[in-house]
Amino acid sequence: MNTENQIACSEHGEAIATYVCGHLVSKPAQRWFCDAPSKEEPWPDAWCPQCQLKFQEVGEWNEINESCLDLKLICNHCYENAIAQSVGSLEGDVQNSWIDAVAKCHGELTEKQARLEHDYSLSKHERWDFDQETSSLVFSNKGVAIVVADVEFIGSISTKSDTWLWSWANFNLLPNVRTRIKAVRSFGEANGFPHLCVPKWPADRVDGWEMSGIAVNVLGAQGVYRAPSDNGFLFMAIMNLRWAQ
């Protein structure tokens, strides 16, 4: 840890320093504007809709509009807890659009899952194995590969912390299994859907399936495979499913 970026948080102790506008500190349950997180910058500077309007007036931050930010220094744990609250900020037409999108995509996913089970009997094979390096998911019986799929990791549900984590923000995964999923975040930004833009937020298994439905729609995937993990469940988008032989 770079000590120059550390902060002593009264709640979390020694942590990483992050910057957000003062409006987000006083009211975190609103839309957050920020760059996509990266391995080098997992908690990018963030600002509120009010500050976003000031930014759009000139297309950049300068000495004049930066004054509206009232930047606050908070720790990375406070940042994660605060931005997670934005998923509950939807209202009005945007909220209705989100509800419609979730319902539509979940219905489409249900049909796709039924089709995959009918055609390939994925739940009936003895074992499954996935390889991040080859982005492949293999179903086998008695040591013989039967069905093979190219996959894109969508995200994961932790049954320990009761949270959803998007794969585009999970830097423990190899890049080749979480590249296309960035399109889902872009879709969320374009439509003002924070569930698709916030890296991690409180969620359960139903949320996992609903986020997967959105991802399958955006990516044009064939369906989803949900695999158990040490902490919960991992959701993978099936991009190309085929018989092994």
Side-chain angles (χ1 to χ4, degrees), residues 180 202-203:
R180 287 173 287 194

Side-chain angles (χ1 to χ4, degrees), residues 13 22 31 34 73 79 84-85 88 103 114-115 117 139 152 175 182 204 214 226-227 235 239:
R31 185 173 180 181
C34 60
L73 188 65
Y79 181 107
Q85 295 183 48
R115 191 177 308 126
E117 184 62 26
F139 298 87
E152 177 81 2
K182 295 175 183 178
D204 56 24
I214 296 285
R226 187 189 72 169
F235 293 79
M239 306 303 298

Side-chain angles (χ1 to χ4, degrees), residues 84-95:
Q85 295 183 48
S86 68
V87 299
S89 65
L90 287 179
E91 58 184 10
D93 291 341
V94 178
Q95 182 179 34

